[in-house]
Amino acid sequence: MKNFSINTEPTFKDILHADGSKSYDVIGRGYITIKRPEVVKFVEDTLSGNFVGWGYMPRVDKALKDGIITKEEYKQIIQILD
C-alpha cells in the first residue's frame, strides 16, 4: 500500500484589477468578474466566513433585499460561492 496525499484544496487564479474589480476563476465556468469594489469586498468577506454548505445564502439574500447587490450580481456571487 502506497502512502500518498491528495490536495483537495482548489487552486484559483483570481485577478484583482487596478479599478478594484476582481475576476474569479470559477471551476467549470471560467472567469466571473465583479465590477464594483464594494461588492468585491462583500464576496471576499463571505468567502472568508466559516459557512457550511449553503450557509452563506442568508447573507447573500439579505444583501439583495437591502439593495447592497443587484440581481445580476446576486447570480454572479452564487456562482462564485457555489
Side-chain angles (χ1 to χ4, degrees), residues 2 12 17 19-20 26-27 29 31 38-39 42-43 46 50-52 58 62-63 65 68 70 75-76 78:
K2 290 184 178 181
F12 299 108
H17 305 282
D19 64 358
V26 182
I27 297 171
R29 294 185 177 117
Y31 285 91
E38 59 272 19
V39 178
F42 174 81
V43 171
T46 305
N50 292 322
F51 298 105
V52 177
K62 183 175 182 337
K65 180 182 172 193
I68 296 169
T70 66
K75 292 176 189 176
Q76 292 173 328
I78 297 303

Side-chain angles (χ1 to χ4, degrees), residues 1-51:
M1 174 183 262
K2 290 184 178 181
N3 291 331
F4 62 92
S5 64
I6 298 173
N7 182 6
T8 58
E9 293 295 319
T11 55
F12 299 108
K13 297 177 182 115
D14 300 339
I15 302 165
L16 181 61
H17 305 282
D19 64 358
S21 64
K22 189 167 186 176
S23 296
Y24 293 88
D25 183 9
V26 182
I27 297 171
R29 294 185 177 117
Y31 285 91
I32 295 175
T33 300
I34 301 294
K35 295 181 181 180
R36 295 191 303 141
E38 59 272 19
V39 178
V40 170
K41 181 172 179 359
F42 174 81
V43 171
E44 293 298 314
D45 289 348
T46 305
L47 283 170
S48 67
N50 292 322
F51 298 105

